[in-house]
Amino acid sequence: MNGHIGDSMAAFVLEEAGFRIGDRALLVPTSLTLPHRRVVGLISPNGSGKPTLLKLLARQMPAGAGTIRFEGKDLAAWIHRGFARRAGRRFDGRVKLRMPIPYS
């Protein structure tokens, strides 16, 4: 993954990013590219790591495996204020479910 989508750089690029506590994987190694200026839905079974993924993207906890880049730069290399200024416009770390989605 080079972090580019079409002519623009991706907002977030995950390469085999994961998180474990002991023997329990809260997020299995995941590769994903999230584009700028797009709404992305996370739909997966309960217990698959959606909140953990959001916490990793918001820098609330570090990835235990793999890499996460924001605008082409390793997430850990961002200075807190610089990251907050750039990412805050795109990502507020909250998930809002406005209406229930039936599961069948």
Side-chain angles (χ1 to χ4, degrees), residues 54 92-97:
L54 293 175
D92 68 7
R94 293 177 289 176
V95 176
K96 295 179 183 175
L97 185 59

Side-chain angles (χ1 to χ4, degrees), residues 41-84:
L42 298 174
I43 301 170
S44 62
N46 290 344
S48 61
K50 294 178 294 290
T52 302
L53 174 61
L54 293 175
K55 288 177 184 176
L56 294 178
L57 295 177
R59 293 181 43 171
Q60 292 177 351
M61 50 195 221
T67 60
I68 301 174
R69 291 192 309 276
F70 176 69
E71 295 186 341
K73 184 176 178 181
D74 191 286
L75 202 58
W78 280 89
I79 296 170
H80 179 70
R81 184 170 290 203
F83 176 77

Side-chain angles (χ1 to χ4, degrees), residues 1-92:
M1 265 182 223
N2 62 11
H4 291 273
I5 300 173
D7 294 324
S8 63
M9 179 156 302
F12 286 96
V13 176
L14 290 80
E15 294 178 343
E16 296 298 312
F19 189 82
R20 300 183 74 82
I21 294 180
D23 292 337
R24 184 169 180 227
L26 298 183
L27 180 68
V28 297
T30 302
S31 296
L32 177 66
T33 299
L34 301 173
H36 279 292
R37 298 182 179 98
R38 298 286 188 263
V39 175
V40 177
L42 298 174
I43 301 170
S44 62
N46 290 344
S48 61
K50 294 178 294 290
T52 302
L53 174 61
L54 293 175
K55 288 177 184 176
L56 294 178
L57 295 177
R59 293 181 43 171
Q60 292 177 351
M61 50 195 221
T67 60
I68 301 174
R69 291 192 309 276
F70 176 69
E71 295 186 341
K73 184 176 178 181
D74 191 286
L75 202 58
W78 280 89
I79 296 170
H80 179 70
R81 184 170 290 203
F83 176 77
R85 283 184 180 151
R86 298 291 300 160
R89 296 181 190 131
R90 294 169 184 85
F91 176 76
D92 68 7

